[in-house]
Amino acid sequence: MKISALRLFNVKRFAGRGVAIEGIGDGVNVLCAANEFGKSTSFEALHTLFFQPYSGKSGAVRNLRPYSGGNPLVEADISHGDDRLRITKQYYGGGYARVTDLATGRLVAQADEAENFISALIKGGPAGPAGLLWVRQGVTGIDKRSNAEEDGEKQVRASLLESVQGEVEAITGGRRMAEIIQAVAGELDKVVTKRGPKAGGRYAAAIEARDRLAADEKRLAADVAALRDALDERTSTQKRLAELDGADERQERQRAAAEAQAAFEAAQAQGEKLKAAEAELKLARERRDGAEGALDAFRTTSQNAKALAARLIEGERRRDEAVGRRREAGELIARVQAAADQADMQEQEARTLLARLDAALRAREAAERLAESNRRLNEAEARRQALEETEAQLALVKIPPGAIEELQALEVELSGLRAVAEAARPSVAVAYAKDAQGEVTMDGAPLADGRERSYDGQAQLVVPGIGVISLRSNKKPSGDTRLEQVEERQRRLLGSMGVETLAEARERQVRAQEIDAEIRELRGSLSSLAPAGLARLREDAAAQALAGADVSGPEGDPAELRAALTQAERHRSETRHALREAEPARGRAEDAVVAAEISLATMRTEQAHVEAQLGPEDQRGAREQALSTELAERLSQFSEADARVAELRASGVDLASAEAALKRARSVQSGAEQQIVALREIVAGLNAEIRARSDEAVEESWRETAEALSAAELRVAAFEREVAVLQRLSLALDDARSEARELYLKPVMAELRPLLGLLFDDVSVTFDERTLLPQTISRNGQEEDVERLSGGMREQLSVLTRLAFARLLARDGRPAPVILDDALVYSDDDRIEKMFDALHRQSREQQIIVFSCRQRAFQKLGGNALAMVDWQP
């Protein structure tokens, strides 16, 4: 699998906008940019696309969402074998997943099937083979991690090594070794489990007895210490009680509390007056704001009413113009069709004459034939190029066959259903006498002479000079939902075509028909210019250039006939083009009539709403004057209330300070009294505690319990030595079996050894057989743990190990790209250049994608330079 493009929209810092990384190729691909440019964002988006389901809400998915919210969209183009695919996912609202074949545009999978397709593609998720090859910023992959992550990656590494190396041979020991290991495990199982001492066993009982005695000893020791502390505390408490309960101290506390109470009451009375004034100010402000809002709303609505009247006149004019254009379009189509038929006849006659002349021109001299052949060849080449460009345009606007007919059928069905619904409604029409005075109005709108108007439920007719006529329809509402169902089908069909109205669909169809006609015309012209193909026409031109024979010319002027044919073709093309332009014009004119009627109805509804808000026109001036007068009164009231509040605030006393002073005086007095009571209670409790502990002889019980605890600890230590011996024996047996596993790690060492040679002299790596990751390195005869290495060497070793596993994946028929996000942060200049050599060495059969902010250092990496560009889904 290889990645060729990455696109993301509304992801993290790219809120409301999209970016794309295009042109990702084979070998080493490098995106170098400053910090906060979006490199790690691109890395995380790509990782989430492959390893997080579109319906998930995990931490990785939440991290993609920008602070402003929205739905993150991530898209990647990949190649897998001979297939070129596009994987698209959107998270949160309207989430989806799609896999599309780029060659044919076919939807390969979507939703859960798309997730299954991606899982099969990467084989195992983030702990699978592809997940081993991602190096995140600041994470080497050989540091300590959670058990779940470690075990998952260990299983993948082990299965990969086994698939490359084959079955691991039986290690060492035989049956005798197995029996010894089993016996040791049995003895350990009697006293301990993996979690600790075995419940119900001798070891657990000894520990339980020791813990019980330790708890008793600790409790008795605490009792002895408590007795001694109680004696000391009683002495100090009695001294403090004598200080607080003196007569002078009591009188001073009472005097301070009385003075603070008087000051607080004076400040509180002033505060109540200020609160009342502030409440009046708030009410005056609200009334002023309400008056301003009412006046502004009235004036705005009045201005809207004037503009709406002008718009109504303009809407009626546009409707009349649309009706006229519809009539003119029909007449124009008839005229243009007749002209097109005449142009076809003229073009055929000119072509026939030219064909006869071509038969006579066979005897023309070779130079003239050569010139004609070259002209036709150049013209045919131009027509071929135009044909290819026009076919590309057709692919962009083509509408599926039958879609317009289906949409038109739905329009017809909708019209019928609406007509049936309209016909079922009761209606009324008025035929006025010639000398009729005034007009009859229906629900406030005048009835035109002879025009029917329908209504629902009931309506009122106002007849001038007669009265009001009430019309009622007692028809029950119909339960027929066919109209809603057809409208829903129409919305779905429009959505599948990517348009909003039938007019847009017709425009796209007309455009497609125009392009298709141009294609047919170009193909006809190309066929007439080169009937046997362009290759044959080139061969004929070359043969005529070599022949160069002189032959007497034919009679007649071919230029005139060709000019006549060209003129006829041009005239035919112009008439056909005019016909194609006229046909959609009629449809647009019909749509314009419908749109004008809808616009008029909307404006009339809006006018009725505005008139209801403004009231009768003859009372609007008085109403506006009343609102202005009310506003002036509210402004005056607000100014007076504001002045009163300012005056009270200027002369007010700080209530918070007075309250704080009173609270402090009261707390001092109350605290002293509570402390006196508490000290007396403490003295009484200490006396009782001292008497009780003296009677229990706690010191003698403490010494006896300490002796019994020492004996119990000796028993537990004996069990601990036994368990340690058995565990050491088990470990030694396991070490003996592990010595035969060196063959297991030979494949990865074979791939890693030449890479290490590029960076280090005389360095070897030892792998941990449990995790299958580098554990120690040996250089200059000294062995070092990986955890103790510098950050730069750990990250270099991490990248080299992943490159080795990537080569094993490729050898196993599962190639996957290596993706590095600032994975070489701590490397010096010399080492980083050697790492660049290692990357290029492995990129011969491997795709490597590198993200880095170290622009100057990574200029020496080379490879395919990537860039971020704006992108709109």
Side-chain angles (χ1 to χ4, degrees), residues 11 65 82 117 169 308 312 342 347 453 457 475 479 602 638 679 703 848 870:
V11 174
R65 202 174 197 184
D82 295 332
F117 182 93
E169 298 178 355
L308 183 60
L312 273 172
Q342 181 65 27
E347 190 265 347
R453 181 180 297 174
K475 181 179 178 181
T602 303
F638 173 76
L679 289 174
R703 293 190 183 92
I848 300 175
D870 290 337

Side-chain angles (χ1 to χ4, degrees), residues 314 316-326:
E314 178 64 18
E316 291 175 351
R317 184 188 64 78
R318 290 181 179 177
R319 180 196 58 191
D320 297 338
E321 289 179 354
V323 172
R325 285 196 300 270
R326 180 175 60 184

Side-chain angles (χ1 to χ4, degrees), residues 351-372:
R351 191 175 299 279
T352 302
L353 290 175
L354 183 60
R356 292 175 182 173
L357 180 61
D358 285 339
L361 288 177
R362 292 169 187 169
R364 184 176 297 275
E365 57 184 326
E368 194 171 351
R369 290 200 306 270
L370 176 61
E372 174 62 15

Side-chain angles (χ1 to χ4, degrees), residues 370-386 526 529-530 534 537-538 541:
L370 176 61
E372 174 62 15
S373 297
N374 288 334
R375 184 196 64 78
R376 293 176 61 196
L377 178 61
N378 294 334
E379 188 174 354
E381 291 284 358
R383 295 295 175 88
R384 178 188 60 79
Q385 183 178 358
L526 185 59
L529 290 170
L534 284 173
L537 185 58
R538 295 189 189 101

Side-chain angles (χ1 to χ4, degrees), residues 463-484:
V463 182
I466 296 177
V468 178
I469 301 174
S470 297
L471 305 176
R472 291 185 179 86
S473 173
N474 297 323
K475 181 179 178 181
K476 296 182 178 179
S478 174
D480 190 359
T481 62
R482 289 181 299 167
L483 179 60
E484 290 79 3

Side-chain angles (χ1 to χ4, degrees), residues 704-727:
E704 293 174 358
T705 304
E707 294 174 356
L709 176 61
S710 298
E713 288 176 341
L714 291 175
R715 288 194 299 273
V716 172
F719 279 112
E720 289 175 345
R721 286 193 297 273
E722 180 182 356
V723 171
V725 170
L726 291 173
Q727 290 176 340

